[in-house]
Amino acid sequence: MDETIVATPWWARVAVWTALPAAGAGLGWVIREVPGWVLRIPFVPVRGPLRLVDRFDEPWATLGAVVLGTIAGLVLAGLVDRESLTVRISGTQVTLTRPGTTRAVPRSAVAVAYREGDQLVLLGPTGREVAREPSHLSVARLAAAFGTVWSAQDPYAGSYRRWVPDLPDVPAEAAALFAARQQALDKGDIDDARDLREELARLGFVLHDRKKRQHFRRVDGL
């Protein structure tokens, strides 16, 4: 079966896992050396705490700082790599894969595909959102892979309006989800905001976030 694949280049993923831990290790070393450098400057205030830090035994202090920096770099690399998307398009389905998660959508259910910021969005024939995944893939490659269903922008861009509490045409169940999601956005809880977006999608709401403000449109014919 013919299959078109658009993936994050392997060398880019290797670079992330190599460069970020190395940068973290370097930053750890720099932070360890900062107190000594600062203490060489005359009239620097708060010299007591700086002297205390500078007296830590070597080479353990430097080694500890480098190890902690490396660990921080590995954590950051893992967060970045979570957004390494692979798109597989066959005659029957579209599969979106990231480390730890896979979502498959029937190809017949994808009427529009477009890029919104750093996310790939797939819409169904009724305008319902059927998939949304972080993506830094080439727009040109995605456009070639999706063909005629690819759009340069959201075709429903003019249909959104801002959510505020107590809108009369938003059912109570959806209003509670909107309120909970707003709290998640304010706290920067990306995972919870994503889960609540999917819950609202099941109720017929398609969301677009602008600077932590929720905008939505209703979908008929679910």
Side-chain angles (χ1 to χ4, degrees), residues 25 39 130 132 167 174 216-217:
L39 286 171
V130 295
R132 174 185 289 265
L167 287 175
F216 72 93
R217 61 180 173 84

Side-chain angles (χ1 to χ4, degrees), residues 139-206:
V139 171
R141 293 176 64 198
L142 288 171
F146 278 101
T148 57
V149 303
W150 182 261
S151 175
Q153 61 183 2
D154 183 355
Y156 299 92
S159 303
Y160 293 86
R161 59 194 179 100
R162 185 176 173 182
W163 175 80
V164 294
D166 302 322
L167 287 175
D169 56 342
V170 175
E173 181 182 2
L177 293 172
F178 270 114
R181 189 170 185 276
Q182 187 62 58
Q183 292 182 359
L185 290 174
D186 292 339
K187 293 187 296 185
D189 191 338
I190 298 175
D191 291 337
D192 196 30
R194 178 187 177 88
D195 291 343
L196 290 166
R197 175 194 288 274
E198 293 179 354
E199 290 294 326
L200 283 161
R202 294 187 185 98
L203 297 179
F205 291 87
V206 179

Side-chain angles (χ1 to χ4, degrees), residues 10-214:
W10 67 267
W11 54 264
R13 298 185 66 185
V14 170
V16 165
W17 283 104
T18 302
L20 291 181
L27 181 60
W29 178 84
V30 169
I31 292 174
R32 172 66 188 98
E33 296 296 320
V34 164
W37 296 339
V38 173
L39 286 171
R40 297 189 185 100
I41 303 174
F43 311 114
V44 171
V46 199
R47 300 177 72 86
L50 291 174
R51 287 196 185 97
L52 180 63
V53 173
D54 193 47
R55 288 173 185 165
F56 288 159
D57 292 339
E58 290 293 353
W60 306 112
T62 298
L63 180 62
V66 169
V67 169
L68 288 175
T70 301
I71 292 173
L74 287 169
V75 171
L76 181 58
L79 294 174
V80 172
D81 193 55
R82 282 180 60 187
E83 299 192 358
S84 298
L85 181 66
T86 297
V87 179
R88 290 182 170 85
I89 305 175
S90 71
T92 58
Q93 69 179 18
V94 177
T95 306
L96 308 176
T97 304
R98 291 187 293 117
T101 179
T102 296
R103 174 172 297 190
V105 180
R107 187 162 181 176
S108 60
V110 179
V112 179
Y114 66 96
R115 176 89 167 263
E116 181 181 286
D118 61 354
Q119 296 183 321
L120 172 65
V121 182
L122 307 182
L123 303 179
T126 64
R128 181 173 67 94
E129 186 175 289
V130 295
R132 174 185 289 265
E133 294 290 344
S135 171
H136 301 286
L137 298 172
S138 162
V139 171
R141 293 176 64 198
L142 288 171
F146 278 101
T148 57
V149 303
W150 182 261
S151 175
Q153 61 183 2
D154 183 355
Y156 299 92
S159 303
Y160 293 86
R161 59 194 179 100
R162 185 176 173 182
W163 175 80
V164 294
D166 302 322
L167 287 175
D169 56 342
V170 175
E173 181 182 2
L177 293 172
F178 270 114
R181 189 170 185 276
Q182 187 62 58
Q183 292 182 359
L185 290 174
D186 292 339
K187 293 187 296 185
D189 191 338
I190 298 175
D191 291 337
D192 196 30
R194 178 187 177 88
D195 291 343
L196 290 166
R197 175 194 288 274
E198 293 179 354
E199 290 294 326
L200 283 161
R202 294 187 185 98
L203 297 179
F205 291 87
V206 179
L207 275 62
H208 175 66
D209 296 330
R210 301 170 187 167
K211 298 181 179 179
K212 294 187 177 183
R213 297 185 181 96
Q214 301 180 91

